[in-house]
Amino acid sequence: MVLERLKQMAMHVTGNTPPPHPLDPLSESEIEHAVSVVRKEYPELFFNAVTLWEPRKAEMLAWVADADHTVRPHRVADVVCVGKGSTVYDGLVDLGEEKIVKWEKMEGVQPLITMEDLQFVETIVRKDPKCIEQCGLIGIPAEDMHKVYCDPWTIGYDERFGSGVRLQQALMYYRPHEDDSQYSYPLDFCPIFNADTHEIIHIDVPSIRRPINKAPPNNYHAAAIEAEGGFRTDLKPINISQPEGVSFKVDGRTISWVNWKVHVGFNYKEGIVLSNITFNDKGTERPVFWRLSLAEMVVPYGNPDHPHQRKHAFDLGEYGGGYMTNSLSLGCDCKGAIHYMDAAFVNRAGSPTTIKNAICIHEEDNGILFKHTDFRDDSVTVTRARKLIISHIFTAANYEYCVYWIFHLDGTVQLEIKLTGILNTYAMLPNEDTHGWGTEVYPGVNAHNHQHLFCMRIDPNIDGPSNTIYQVDAMQGAGEVGSAENKHGNAFYAKKTRLETAGGSMCDYDGNTSRTWDMSNENKINPYSKKPATYKLVSREVPPLLPKEGGLVWKRAGFARHAVHVTPYDDDQIHPAGRHVPQTSGEPSAGLPAWIAANPSASIANKDVVLWHTFGLTHFPAPEDFPIMPAEPMTVLLRPRNFFLKNPALDIAPSYSSAPSGKGTYSAKDGLSKLITPGCSNC
Amino acid sequence: MVLERLKQMAMHVTGNTPPPHPLDPLSESEIEHAVSVVRKEYPELFFNAVTLWEPRKAEMLAWVADADHTVRPHRVADVVCVGKGSTVYDGLVDLGEEKIVKWEKMEGVQPLITMEDLQFVETIVRKDPKCIEQCGLIGIPAEDMHKVYCDPWTIGYDERFGSGVRLQQALMYYRPHEDDSQYSYPLDFCPIFNADTHEIIHIDVPSIRRPINKAPPNNYHAAAIEAEGGFRTDLKPINISQPEGVSFKVDGRTISWVNWKVHVGFNYKEGIVLSNITFNDKGTERPVFWRLSLAEMVVPYGNPDHPHQRKHAFDLGEYGGGYMTNSLSLGCDCKGAIHYMDAAFVNRAGSPTTIKNAICIHEEDNGILFKHTDFRDDSVTVTRARKLIISHIFTAANYEYCVYWIFHLDGTVQLEIKLTGILNTYAMLPNEDTHGWGTEVYPGVNAHNHQHLFCMRIDPNIDGPSNTIYQVDAMQGAGEVGSAENKHGNAFYAKKTRLETAGGSMCDYDGNTSRTWDMSNENKINPYSKKPATYKLVSREVPPLLPKEGGLVWKRAGFARHAVHVTPYDDDQIHPAGRHVPQTSGEPSAGLPAWIAANPSASIANKDVVLWHTFGLTHFPAPEDFPIMPAEPMTVLLRPRNFFLKNPALDIAPSYSSAPSGKGTYSAKDGLSKLITPGCSNC
């Protein structure tokens, strides 16, 4: 092991194989290495996670500023192990030092459920006598138990069982045939699985029983559509090609594209992590964001009947957006020239595993970037936009989340999320009243109301780490109609409210004032506008958390109580619902509420801060969403305001540009010429 | 003329040249025809507009239902003429009957300003002694008057001049060189132009004078960028091609694409008008919308100083989204295989004129339509989306509006508007205080705060004309946390409020309840969900009208006071700020407020209704928006809910589909096979 390390250091010196960037995810060999260090001391444990423990920000900032004269941050593995008796251990392994530098037995917490944890449950449920009995009661004979399936969720939190034992709830389904969508055949009872002993410890049975659905299958796979008349044949191909390849450069995991530069990380919880995002402003590499990620989410369901209150998945903190990520295939998910990155994880046994093509990086045409015609002479400039997209897709049991981090030529960073996949469904009797808590999307299938609330962690670095957050509201000017100051009543302005302390930072959305939030560097004033260099958070899908104050979801998902929280930067504050989310009671609320409560008067003005933005949508299902849901997109924008001196995309070659004088006309095909035929010959 | 008509009728009988669809815009020959009829009686008049007078809806519905046994609606021209002394005439000419069937001299109104009206003003201003004097006062010598330019807006309304005389206000600019952007050199005074006498009748001069800006030019045309180092060369081409052509069919102006069918009209005010939109639901052509258009807009500016209150352009009603539309060139504005339509208008002298390629119709790839992976076995279905886009772009002096009507495979209709072009600017002194009403986007250039508020006219036809509008709010369920009915506080539901009368139909947006509006056919209940067939209006950029109640903009732009108004269908109610918008005083408010006030108790439940939706954004300018603004998109969605029995796009061939059994795997390249190698070979 020492030899290997020396070899690595030697490679560093000779420059043959550069060492990983300090923010690169652990490689398979680094994971193996970390496991071997832990194994020596704790051979009996299973692995829940081995992931990069990111270098402390101060250390990283120093290294980024002057890598040649700064000690390279150590590679450290963040390890979570589980043992018999639902025991949990958190540790840190310094890979250079080859030793465990921190090890702690955790009490009363449960780490997330891995894909391997999920896979166990179905087998157990099928053999469990009590489950077989319940199936019999609703019309499934014992010999059909191989047709019984389950989506094994974490239990969330159930006060009857607490947090000491690692539990899952099995949402039950049936498939008449192996290829039938089980979501048309939900079962009405819910077994509780002990992940430590692999036993069903309890079954929640409703007071009203609902026999197995007798409706015909409702499928979307190719054979089913073929049987219904087949696929349509009138769609002609749309080909997208990049014969000269992509326009971005890849150096390790750092992507350079036009003026942007960004490091692409990935971990098992957040999925994609973007770090050290800079924009080259006419030769000056200006920092914009230190770190961006989707840090948490919660999907509360709106049916108050027991045990549906337990359906409020924290898909990142309870399962992991990285662990659940899809292996993407060229052409199926993105078109054009694609660059892929893999994702390496540990399995329960401690071996490294890799999801191939976990991250997709590609460009897309994006319509018009800008256009103007002079009405006097029809001289015109029209320039096409494109975007760089860094994406992954994860499957959370029934549902898929497609996460697109998008960089635009005009300096905008966009997070787009598309929701697709299959509705979570529950059994209903013919003519049963949904009481408005759900919709019968297919005979006998009740899809409950739910919200998708995402928490985006934004670590701004607007010309440096000292930033200030303002709430910005579009407001009417003072002065009534007829007054000297506002005679015609048309005055309006942007009211800015400076957020001063963590305890006072909580903001809700207000559509009525088109509320946005500015992340500003007050020390960097735009020489034209005299306003601070800013990136503006523009987000329009911002429903409040509908579960009530003091209730289970409200307590557990503290981050979702407000559209915006701001905290002073802290290296250990990454997960806004806490580090280990399953089976948290919410008493007290972990993550954001706890951090803020610890020091509510902490200053956040002109400081290194983190802005936590919760956004999403409320979904009242309809039959159109079933048996598979057309993708529903949702967007958050981070837009430069008073950051640049002018539109930063003026140097993008236009499709066509002509000036009133007729001189210096430009076309994409012919370039600039003194005299070319007007009109766009080829763009 | 009679002979020509007989010839047309003969062609109809022989079927050689089919007659126009009753909703087709007037052709050049029909415009000529209408002008000749008017000319006979009113040879002294000029033409402001000759456009299709759309057949009455009842007549059209009958004809659409059974064209073979119904009298074909007559072709009728809607004519607006202007005469000396600012006189205005509205008339109707029946082209079949060859006669004027209605003629009215209008009092106290002014029809919109045409592009020809606009072009006059600059010449007059340059020669006007008082304008030359004002230019001299701010540093422009008389010999440089050829460098003085103006954007001649309608006056809007100015109480000093009223509505009797046709007026324009000249927003003044300067160009050091012919090719310099004038918007960096705004002048501080504002001449008033009498469009009847072609005289400057007044100049509004501010109390504080602002000498001509001395900053260097701030240009974006090709030669300017070349001089600054040229265009970047690191963007590799992204080619989009459709080697087999488009997937839509064109029959006259009716477009059929996948399950959609739509008639594409166009007129000088609204631009694109979509009519008789239907969706083929497994063989049944179901009506969805009778007519969709962008019917009006207003752009109020937020600086209360005189005369900036006059800056609140109704770009459609005061200038015409059709009249200002761009001629689009292949490749510059859209990629792939494009179908264009021209637009024919009348000019002032009564001759027909045509804008070539006014409307662009094309398809685009649209990413993932739906995807699901079974986590048990990684069997997956992934299907790509595409969209049909019917678009036009219009230039309103400094600004461009790109209007995209988008049809999706999943039954969604989207209106996307991209804002680009150049900010309206005003002069400012060095270190002058903007008082928060604007931003200095370049030295000496003040870009005032403004709103873009669009009014979308939606004539729903959800399985027929009898529709009902509901306001829908996401609400917490009753019962406190701990109560039997809502123990964990997680209950939530969609609260629906039925809109009963026109007078009670006004709704504002509420982001806090994720408010939407349902357009439902209560007579057509979804057999699964037991809910009425519905299209839901989903719109998230819905600022309130910021100019105050009782003020000038509030009075003139009544439609913008609320996010939603609903009226009983009336053939004559197309323009929500009135038929002739320039110089309306707003006392009383024309259009929507007048129509509703005339019969506030008119029932709108289960009736033929029109929903007017005002949406848009509030823009606080920044230097990034200058000297030309990166396109800012904004979207309204009309989504089917409880309209279909299932996802209507299941018959779109997937990129790849596999089922758990491994049988019936499908790939885009190989189609369905019993056994193909897993993975996507080509999509």
Side-chain angles (χ1 to χ4, degrees), chain A residues 110-423:
Chain A
Q110 292 299 334
L112 58 63
I113 299 289
T114 67
M115 296 304 287
E116 276 176 295
D117 292 336
L118 285 174
Q119 301 276 11
F120 287 129
V121 186
E122 212 158 68
T123 328
I124 305 294
V125 159
R126 285 176 179 168
K127 288 187 242 165
D128 182 79
K130 295 184 300 299
C131 289
I132 296 170
E133 181 193 357
Q134 286 301 324
C135 285
L137 289 172
I138 57 171
I140 301 170
E143 62 270 25
D144 278 359
M145 284 306 291
H146 63 288
K147 298 183 176 180
V148 170
Y149 289 75
C150 72
D151 285 0
W153 293 26
T154 74
I155 196 164
Y157 183 76
D158 189 317
E159 66 276 21
R160 297 171 298 177
F161 306 111
S163 312
V165 178
R166 190 162 169 76
L167 299 173
Q168 292 174 247
Q169 54 181 324
L171 306 193
M172 302 296 298
Y173 302 95
Y174 178 79
R175 294 186 189 175
H177 176 279
E178 177 183 9
D179 288 343
D180 286 333
S181 171
Q182 69 202 36
Y183 300 98
S184 298
Y185 302 97
L187 310 187
D188 69 347
F189 63 95
C190 184
I192 310 293
F193 173 82
N194 179 328
D196 183 43
T197 61
H198 283 205
E199 291 170 319
I200 303 299
I201 60 161
H202 180 81
I203 301 181
D204 279 313
V205 178
S207 52
I208 304 164
R209 297 312 298 261
R210 297 166 180 90
I212 179 75
N213 196 5
K214 293 298 182 200
N218 191 8
N219 295 327
Y220 59 85
H221 58 64
I225 305 301
E226 198 65 25
E228 286 176 16
F231 296 115
R232 41 192 324 135
T233 55
D234 55 354
L235 289 179
K236 308 275 189 277
I238 297 176
N239 297 336
I240 300 174
S241 62
Q242 296 179 269
E244 299 176 26
V246 300
S247 313
F248 53 85
K249 290 195 189 101
V250 182
D251 174 17
R253 299 180 68 105
T254 298
I255 309 294
S256 305
W257 181 74
V258 199
N259 292 306
W260 290 106
K261 194 178 275 190
V262 53
H263 179 274
V264 182
F266 196 86
N267 67 50
Y268 72 113
K269 275 188 185 162
E270 300 164 285
I272 290 171
V273 175
L274 303 179
S275 295
N276 197 16
I277 300 168
T278 62
F279 192 99
N280 188 320
D281 183 10
K282 301 185 181 304
T284 305
E285 208 165 90
R286 296 174 66 185
V288 180
F289 295 101
W290 178 250
R291 191 181 189 279
L292 293 176
S293 71
L294 207 57
E296 192 51 275
M297 56 181 288
V298 64
V299 185
Y301 283 76
N303 187 318
D305 299 341
H306 183 81
H308 302 304
Q309 80 281 356
R310 285 197 314 242
K311 292 198 305 191
H312 56 277
F314 295 73
D315 290 289
L316 304 185
E318 292 189 326
Y319 308 90
Y323 273 164
M324 300 189 295
T325 211
N326 293 183
S327 176
L328 303 169
S329 302
L330 180 62
C332 292
D333 306 299
C334 295
K335 289 202 168 198
I338 315 288
H339 180 83
Y340 289 108
M341 290 180 179
D342 301 338
F345 301 120
V346 72
N347 70 8
R348 184 174 162 87
S351 300
T353 62
T354 288
I355 297 179
K356 297 289 292 176
N357 298 347
I359 304 174
C360 166
I361 302 174
H362 78 297
E363 293 173 281
E364 282 183 16
D365 181 88
N366 199 32
I368 286 178
L369 175 59
F370 47 75
K371 180 174 190 180
H372 182 61
T373 302
D374 191 324
F375 67 85
R376 294 163 186 81
D377 51 30
D378 283 343
S379 64
V380 59
T381 293
V382 58
T383 302
R384 285 191 75 80
R386 64 173 67 192
K387 51 191 180 183
L388 176 75
I389 305 171
I390 303 172
S391 63
H392 76 127
I393 298 176
F394 60 91
T395 298
N398 52 299
Y399 226 68
E400 344 286 303
Y401 297 96
C402 314
V403 180
Y404 305 93
W405 293 93
I406 305 174
F407 292 83
H408 292 271
L409 298 171
D410 68 357
T412 299
V413 181
Q414 177 184 6
L415 170 60
E416 184 178 47
I417 302 178
K418 282 188 178 178
L419 311 181
T420 178
I422 307 183
L423 293 165

Side-chain angles (χ1 to χ4, degrees), chain A residues 175 179 372 374 376 400 661, chain B residues 175 179 372 374 400 661:
Chain A
R175 294 186 189 175
D179 288 343
H372 182 61
D374 191 324
R376 294 163 186 81
E400 344 286 303
S661 68
Chain B
R175 294 186 189 174
D179 287 343
H372 182 60
D374 191 324
E400 343 286 303
S661 68

Side-chain angles (χ1 to χ4, degrees), chain A residues 468-668:
Chain A
T468 305
I469 313 300
Y470 293 83
Q471 174 180 293
V472 184
D473 293 288
M475 302 290 282
Q476 295 183 327
E480 289 313 297
V481 173
S483 66
E485 63 192 300
N486 195 11
K487 183 174 174 193
H488 296 281
N490 65 308
F492 56 89
Y493 71 107
K495 180 183 173 188
K496 301 200 180 190
T497 307
R498 190 173 190 249
L499 305 184
E500 304 284 351
T501 63
S505 74
M506 283 83 90
C507 307
D508 299 321
Y509 181 60
D510 188 349
N512 205 43
T513 64
S514 306
R515 182 167 288 172
T516 57
W517 290 270
D518 281 358
M519 295 168 270
S520 301
N521 188 329
E522 295 178 338
N523 318 299
K524 188 75 186 292
I525 303 300
N526 187 297
Y528 294 168
S529 68
K530 320 293 188 297
K531 299 180 183 181
T534 294
Y535 260 72
K536 182 183 280 295
L537 167 63
V538 181
S539 184
R540 299 297 176 216
E541 293 270 12
V542 195
L545 177 70
L546 286 172
K548 286 189 177 171
E549 181 166 348
L552 182 61
V553 179
W554 187 91
K555 287 188 292 184
R556 298 190 69 218
F559 68 87
R561 292 174 200 162
H562 301 286
V564 163
H565 295 78
V566 185
T567 53
Y569 180 83
D570 184 317
D571 283 318
D572 291 327
Q573 296 178 359
I574 300 285
H575 306 298
R579 175 171 161 90
H580 296 301
V581 179
Q583 295 174 251
T584 52
S585 67
E587 291 179 342
S589 298
L592 264 178
W595 302 332
I596 291 175
N599 189 7
S601 61
S603 171
I604 52 169
N606 210 357
K607 290 276 187 307
D608 187 0
V609 296
V610 174
L611 190 161
W612 310 79
H613 172 49
T614 297
F615 65 98
L617 52 79
T618 303
H619 191 189
F620 300 110
E624 284 84 353
D625 304 329
F626 203 66
I628 185 167
M629 198 179 110
E632 190 167 345
M634 177 171 13
T635 269
V636 174
L637 298 174
L638 305 170
R639 302 185 61 215
R641 306 305 281 163
N642 305 291
F643 186 81
F644 296 111
L645 284 180
K646 55 168 79 173
N647 176 342
L650 295 182
D651 60 352
I652 302 303
S655 301
Y656 181 76
S657 176
S658 60
S661 68
K663 293 177 192 154
T665 296
Y666 180 99
S667 82

